[in-house]
Amino acid sequence: MVCTLFYIGSGECRDTDVLASGRDTEELATDWAFKITGIDLETMRIEGGMGMHTPSLTRENALALLKTYNKEPFHIQHALTVEAVMRWYANELGFGEEADYWAQVGLLHDVDFEMYPEEHCVKAQELLKEAGVADDEIYSICCHGYGICIDWEPKELMENVLYAADELTGLIGAAALMRPSKSTKDMELKSLKKKFKDKKFAAGCSRDVIKNGAERLGWELDELLTKTLMAMQAYEDEIAKEYEVQVGN
């Protein structure tokens, strides 16, 4: 998901098929996966144990896929931001050999949101499958919408990091815009916590998702805030350069 301001976005997405049918979301999630992608959730890896993850696509092809369905600069910026944050986390948490995979999951996590906001994390399954993305990567990408758009629960550490950090990148980005520097680099945790507590600020960034994400990781909220801020600070210049290349501004 993408929240409002800076790495801007959605607020919330709606599971229209669930609302219309009244059927159990887990049953529908299984139906969607099998019908759209051929993924059988009963036999597919959802709890790990598959060895080292590698990205399904080259970065060039992943960017091309992203830009096929995303034209708005803020959506591309958000994707580049989450890509960088996920790469940082992979290295920070001891998964450096899988950093390209973590980054690609971040880059493509909102691939369907701009064009198909009411089918977010559902339409993505079809788009990713057609592009040659592997089933386990599709799961990792789509499960960040757990409890909002889809009933695929994050299982692996990487999936829970994406779930926790996605909305938070938007909040941090919005807070940076309010600073004289327009930068995360001089932002301190104390300042970020004030913005987090102000529910009127960047209201589309779900505080509940962020807090739930920290809990799922077994972290205190301050740890999640600190780490994600550090990730954005570390990659801010690189994100800006890549944004100029991809958007042409």
Side-chain angles (χ1 to χ4, degrees), residues 30-142:
T30 303
D31 287 351
W32 284 328
F34 187 77
K35 179 179 179 181
I36 296 174
T37 70
I39 299 172
D40 182 352
L41 295 186
E42 295 301 318
T43 59
M44 183 190 132
R45 189 285 309 158
I46 60 174
E47 294 185 356
M50 290 287 287
M52 184 181 299
H53 293 299
T54 57
S56 302
L57 307 177
T58 65
R59 186 171 187 272
E60 180 181 7
N61 287 343
L63 278 168
L65 177 62
L66 174 73
K67 293 173 72 175
T68 297
Y69 299 103
N70 291 267
K71 308 302 182 183
E72 293 292 336
F74 53 76
H75 286 151
I76 295 174
Q77 183 182 46
H78 176 67
L80 294 173
T81 300
V82 179
E83 175 192 32
V85 167
M86 291 298 290
R87 182 177 297 281
W88 184 93
Y89 267 111
N91 288 308
E92 174 71 14
L93 299 177
F95 292 84
E97 293 183 344
E98 295 188 358
D100 288 344
Y101 181 84
W102 288 47
Q104 186 163 115
V105 168
L107 182 68
L108 295 176
H109 79 287
D110 276 347
V111 66
D112 62 350
F113 181 76
E114 183 176 318
M115 292 184 65
Y116 306 98
E118 295 297 325
E119 300 176 81
H120 184 40
C121 295
V122 177
K123 185 67 174 179
Q125 300 167 37
E126 177 184 351
L127 304 182
L128 294 165
K129 189 72 171 181
E130 289 176 351
V133 178
D135 290 352
D136 62 334
E137 188 171 351
I138 292 174
Y139 188 97
S140 294
I141 290 168
C142 294

Side-chain angles (χ1 to χ4, degrees), residues 14 21 31 36 44 46 48 84 103 112 149 154 181 207 214 230 239:
R14 297 180 61 83
S21 69
D31 287 351
I36 296 174
M44 183 190 132
I46 60 174
D112 62 350
C149 307
S181 65
R207 273 62 167 179
M230 289 173 62
I239 294 167

